Amino acid sequence: MRRRLIGLIALALLAAACTAGGGSSKPVQTVAPNASHAPLTLTVWSNFTSGEYKVTTNALNMITKKYPWMTVKHVGGKEDTAIERSISGGNPPDVAISFTPDNAAKYCQTGAWQDLNPYLQADKIDKNAVWPAGVFSYTSFENKQCALPMLTDAQGLYYNVDLLKKHGFSAPPKTVSQLADMAKKMTEYNPDGSIKVAGFVPLFGFYSSTTPNTFGHAFGAKWYDQSLKPTLASDPNWAKMLQWQKSLVDAIGYGKLQKFAASLGGSDSEFSAQNGFEAGKIAMMMDGEWRTAFIARDKSKVNYATAPFPVDDAQADLYGTQLVGGTIAGIPKGVKHPAESWLLLKFMTTDTSYLTTLAHGLKNVPSTFETLKDPVLQNDPHFKTFMDVFQNPKSTFKPITPIGIADVDLFGTFATKWQAGKVSDLTAGLKALDSQIAKQQTLG
């Protein structure tokens, strides 16, 4: 292994010298990137597809310009389950990208993704000087930094300026009661009573941003207490959110909303030119910053603007905040070239030119302090909304736990039954949901 003999430097680390914070440190090897190296190709797995895959692949290829001896093979369409199977099978990719930050705690606890603190210490990277504090809520667990952010996401409100004007509105809603009133007034019906244009589609499970998690944030609802005990029943904001959502569903009509969603192509239309908002058939929609890229890529003619998502009328101070957190990347257990994997991962999560290029292409929120200054994105009025939401100190990700996304999935199943009128006792249902999540925690 000539390459490793030439290019690796053994570094003994001192835990006391840690500015990256937390966890025990073990000696790791890092790479002298500008030394002589034999050519090496590293594999990166992600769940990017189509246009986003191309953008990410082109950005990843920038590593070769910086380090001519390194090339990257980018494999898209890989969900977390595929990554986990590859780790179990002993043949993981050199770097893994996940769209599911909920899984970071599980990866930290099980060691499926390696603790990066020793690498950060070895390269004298001060985490707190590079990334806003919020990103650590979904990339670390119990003092293990097993993932780093590769851009991030923020949620907000997209609204059709022409449809608002048509119905006499000059500004987007700021509270959920305003949102409900406007949604009902802007919903247009065909002669047979079916929906022609929806003011807002409140159905859980319709598009990926319309979830109990995002709606819950608008009400300040908390998933867990400080001991990670579920609080879906004890925090009244959850019931308040669900009752608001159900009242809007009932006012428009559950069956009509279902048929309308199906007429658009259901959830399959979300990332296509048939997306209801892009097609001018939905007046207001919650979505992430990435929609700005899809609107441009799909050549949609919709005249739109963005704003923070409306919040609970009784909690006006939440306006300007929402759920944040997005793509994470890490080094799987069992990689064959851990030092080189770290060099690539460091590039993918800290290099300003790479992250800015990727942020421009994917239209995702850049995740480092330095890239957040990017003037192109700051001067884009559609995008700036999401930059501001991300930097709001009250914008958060939900607490991550070793059960991964199981809590989100359980709540999603419950919410689907709730909106269909199949939950007769909301309080009892939320208590049962708490018990289900607690049971998952004990099972691990």
Side-chain angles (χ1 to χ4, degrees):
M1 300 295 289
R2 177 183 175 194
R3 172 187 48 75
R4 292 177 65 83
L5 292 174
I6 293 175
L8 300 181
I9 300 173
L11 295 176
L13 302 176
L14 296 175
C18 172
T19 57
S24 60
S25 296
K26 297 179 180 179
V28 295
Q29 291 181 317
T30 58
V31 173
N34 297 318
S36 176
H37 294 266
L40 178 67
T41 298
L42 296 181
T43 301
V44 175
W45 280 13
S46 79
N47 201 22
F48 287 113
T49 59
S50 304
E52 291 192 324
Y53 169 81
K54 294 178 181 176
V55 169
T56 306
T57 299
N58 289 336
L60 286 169
N61 288 338
M62 293 170 64
I63 189 80
T64 304
K65 185 175 182 180
K66 189 168 186 175
Y67 307 124
W69 54 275
M70 181 181 287
T71 55
V72 171
K73 178 184 178 183
H74 180 208
V75 181
K78 295 290 188 181
E79 297 182 345
D80 280 30
T81 51
I83 295 171
E84 291 168 15
R85 283 196 299 269
S86 74
I87 296 171
S88 299
N91 190 31
D94 296 290
V95 173
I97 296 173
S98 169
F99 293 171
T100 313
D102 307 72
N103 286 335
K106 178 174 62 175
Y107 296 154
C108 288
Q109 187 185 59
T110 62
W113 286 21
Q114 299 183 30
D115 184 7
L116 302 172
N117 279 322
Y119 292 104
L120 291 159
Q121 295 161 26
D123 282 345
K124 296 181 172 53
I125 295 174
D126 181 352
K127 292 192 296 188
N128 297 322
V130 177
W131 296 282
V135 303
F136 302 114
S137 65
Y138 62 90
T139 59
S140 64
F141 183 71
E142 293 181 340
N143 293 325
K144 291 183 178 178
Q145 187 73 47
C146 59
L148 289 172
M150 192 185 82
L151 308 183
T152 193
D153 299 320
Q155 302 287 334
L157 180 76
Y158 285 74
Y159 61 96
N160 185 314
V161 175
D162 294 336
L163 285 176
L164 260 68
K165 184 177 180 180
K166 176 182 178 181
H167 291 277
F169 298 107
S170 59
K174 289 188 175 181
T175 67
V176 293
S177 63
Q178 291 173 353
L179 173 62
D181 289 343
M182 291 173 68
K184 286 180 274 190
K185 290 176 181 176
M186 287 194 289
T187 298
E188 302 174 16
Y189 297 90
N190 293 307
D192 65 359
S194 61
I195 296 173
K196 179 180 180 182
V197 176
F200 180 78
V201 179
L203 289 178
F204 295 131
F206 172 48
Y207 284 165
S208 58
S209 292
T210 310
T211 69
N213 201 11
T214 53
F215 281 10
H217 191 98
F219 285 78
K222 306 300 182 187
W223 282 81
Y224 298 98
D225 64 16
Q226 290 186 341
S227 64
L228 289 184
K229 179 182 178 182
T231 55
L232 304 180
S234 58
D235 183 345
N237 286 316
W238 285 116
K240 189 176 184 182
M241 179 277 288
L242 289 166
Q243 288 164 339
W244 170 82
Q245 183 263 355
K246 185 70 164 60
S247 68
L248 182 54
V249 168
D250 291 345
I252 300 173
Y254 175 73
K256 291 181 179 179
L257 284 166
Q258 289 284 6
K259 290 179 180 177
F260 175 74
S263 72
L264 297 175
S267 59
D268 290 341
S269 66
E270 179 172 7
F271 296 108
S272 76
Q274 285 69 50
N275 177 283
F277 182 79
E278 293 186 30
K281 295 182 178 179
I282 298 176
M284 298 180 291
M285 179 177 73
M286 172 179 270
D287 212 340
E289 77 289 340
W290 58 80
R291 181 57 51 191
T292 61
F294 280 90
I295 289 172
R297 198 171 303 158
D298 293 336
K299 295 181 171 46
S300 168
K301 302 298 184 184
V302 64
N303 178 20
Y304 77 102
T306 62
F309 193 76
V311 299
D312 178 19
D313 295 57
Q315 302 182 74
D317 60 320
L318 290 177
Y319 190 70
T321 78
Q322 240 304 322
L323 185 76
V324 297
T327 304
I328 59 173
I331 303 174
K333 177 184 177 182
V335 296
K336 295 180 175 62
H337 311 289
E340 290 84 355
S341 291
W342 164 244
L343 181 66
L344 175 57
L345 179 64
K346 183 172 66 171
F347 172 82
M348 292 165 56
T349 55
T350 65
D351 187 274
T352 297
S353 178
Y354 168 80
L355 288 173
T356 302
T357 299
L358 200 60
H360 288 178
L362 297 178
K363 282 299 181 73
N364 285 164
V365 176
S367 44
T368 65
F369 284 121
E370 191 63 31
T371 52
L372 282 167
K373 299 174 186 174
D374 180 68
V376 174
L377 296 177
Q378 283 286 350
N379 290 325
D380 180 342
H382 291 140
F383 200 83
K384 189 176 185 305
T385 295
F386 303 95
M387 303 273 276
D388 293 341
V389 168
F390 174 57
Q391 294 179 83
N392 190 305
K394 291 187 177 180
S395 292
T396 60
F397 195 74
K398 65 174 278 294
I400 58 174
T401 77
I403 66 172
I405 202 168
D407 49 4
V408 174
D409 289 342
L410 287 168
F411 203 163
T413 299
F414 174 80
T416 300
K417 294 178 180 176
W418 162 255
Q419 68 186 4
K422 297 179 180 178
V423 177
S424 58
D425 187 330
L426 179 57
T427 300
L430 289 173
K431 287 182 178 178
L433 188 56
D434 277 343
S435 297
Q436 287 179 290
I437 294 173
K439 184 178 181 180
Q440 285 290 320
Q441 290 175 318
T442 61
L443 294 174

